[in-house]
Amino acid sequence: MSSPTNGEKGDYNHNKEVIATGEGELILVRRPTDTEKQMHTFEDYGLSTNCLGFMLKVHLWHHYKYSCQAKAIKENSNSVRVGSDALLAAGIRKSYSPEFEEKVIGKLTKDIVGKGCLNQEMLLRYGDYLFQKNLTIDSNQRAKNSRSAMRILLNLFLNLTDKLEKNASFKSKIHNIVEIFNPTLFNIVVDSVKEMCNFTHKNLKSQIT
């Protein structure tokens, strides 16, 4: 397992000082574009805990998975920790890229589902994570995949909301998509997913046989 070099440690200490004082410029693994410089603040940059390099949080997943020079990452590129670190970093960043705003947010169909996606901050963050996840895929295809995944989750949210409003035995009400992960709603979430997938035991039996 390799350790950060003295140069990397020096950059890390410099960056810590910049963030602590709010003055100076960060030394970054990947040089930001002029647009990125204008739209991002210190809060949008994160640390690779393996090589101590700083970069935009949205790029951490790709860096952890493919670019980090630390041998630990190469040996454990599929580890749960690597994925969770990157997901956490992407989830707490403050802004979206102009490309995501144009190709995903700007092209969401203006129906009840599309408008609903725009009102769910966590859903937008998830869509942005998917859009930025695999930069080797064409951006238009990534945008299409992101919009599709967001709409599926929003449909699930709307289905659950409707069920809870119609069933007086459920005291829980949900107001945002994060609340669908409430353990008390597990059974109704499963039922809603089955409905969306047109799942029945008869269908399952026919697929098995």
Side-chain angles (χ1 to χ4, degrees), residues 79-94:
S79 70
V80 173
R81 183 183 62 79
V82 167
S84 62
D85 283 351
L87 276 171
L88 177 61
I92 61 178
R93 67 193 197 85
K94 301 295 184 180

Side-chain angles (χ1 to χ4, degrees), residues 128-186:
D128 186 39
Y129 163 73
L130 293 179
F131 180 69
Q132 303 289 350
K133 181 178 178 181
N134 193 342
L135 300 178
T136 61
I137 298 177
D138 174 72
S139 62
N140 290 323
Q141 184 61 50
R142 285 188 284 120
K144 181 179 179 180
N145 294 344
S146 180
R147 293 195 304 270
S148 177
M150 291 168 65
R151 291 180 66 87
I152 289 172
L153 283 176
L154 203 283
N155 269 313
L156 174 61
F157 171 76
L158 294 176
N159 188 301
L160 286 169
T161 301
D162 185 60
K163 284 183 180 296
L164 293 174
E165 289 179 350
K166 291 179 178 179
N167 194 327
S169 64
F170 287 101
K171 296 181 180 180
S172 300
K173 302 297 179 184
I174 55 177
H175 303 92
N176 63 69
I177 201 162
V178 177
E179 295 174 2
I180 70 175
F181 299 105
N182 185 330
T184 63
L185 299 177
F186 177 80

Side-chain angles (χ1 to χ4, degrees), residues 70-85:
K71 290 182 180 179
I73 287 298
K74 292 181 179 179
E75 295 168 355
N76 300 286
S77 60
N78 293 318
S79 70
V80 173
R81 183 183 62 79
V82 167
S84 62
D85 283 351

Side-chain angles (χ1 to χ4, degrees), residues 189-208:
V189 169
V190 171
D191 289 341
S192 294
V193 171
K194 287 180 179 179
E195 288 181 10
M196 291 177 62
C197 298
N198 194 28
F199 172 88
T200 65
H201 289 290
K202 182 178 180 180
N203 290 342
L204 178 61
K205 185 177 180 180
S206 64
Q207 291 176 16
I208 294 176

Side-chain angles (χ1 to χ4, degrees), residues 1-47:
M1 182 179 295
S2 65
S3 300
T5 65
N6 289 333
E8 289 168 339
K9 290 179 179 178
D11 291 348
Y12 169 67
N13 290 329
H14 166 82
N15 288 334
K16 281 202 307 181
E17 183 70 17
V18 170
I19 291 175
T21 62
E23 299 178 353
E25 292 188 4
L26 293 171
I27 300 175
L28 303 173
V29 172
R30 172 185 172 277
R31 185 183 299 275
T33 64
D34 291 338
T35 301
E36 288 174 338
K37 287 180 181 179
Q38 294 176 4
M39 69 174 292
H40 293 294
T41 67
F42 291 142
E43 293 178 328
D44 294 320
Y45 292 89
L47 170 72

